[in-house]
Amino acid sequence: MVDIGVYNSCKHFCKYCYANYDENKVKVNFRNHDPNSSLLIGKIEKDDVIKVRKK
């Protein structure tokens, strides 16, 4: 499985969307978005573990 997103990360706030369930968390996540990071929210920290996906 490959994760393609993060819950509470879309600012469209569609009423039918299952991915957003906390509007305040969406706002916090949006503030933590770094366009220069390879992550959707935040950035890779020195103690993070990165594993190579096997096909």
Side-chain angles (χ1 to χ4, degrees):
M1 183 174 141
V2 177
D3 188 8
I4 60 169
V6 176
Y7 284 112
N8 296 311
S9 61
C10 179
K11 289 190 76 179
H12 290 148
F13 299 113
C14 300
K15 296 298 179 193
Y16 59 83
C17 182
Y18 68 91
N20 286 341
Y21 52 85
D22 185 336
E23 191 170 321
N24 289 325
K25 185 67 173 170
V26 172
K27 293 173 184 175
V28 169
N29 283 337
F30 191 76
R31 285 194 298 268
N32 288 326
H33 171 69
D34 180 354
N36 297 312
S37 173
S38 59
L39 304 177
L40 183 60
I41 305 296
K43 58 186 174 204
I44 297 173
E45 302 292 340
K46 65 179 180 176
D47 58 339
D48 288 337
V49 176
I50 299 172
K51 297 182 179 181
V52 177
R53 179 179 174 217
K54 296 179 183 179
K55 293 184 179 183

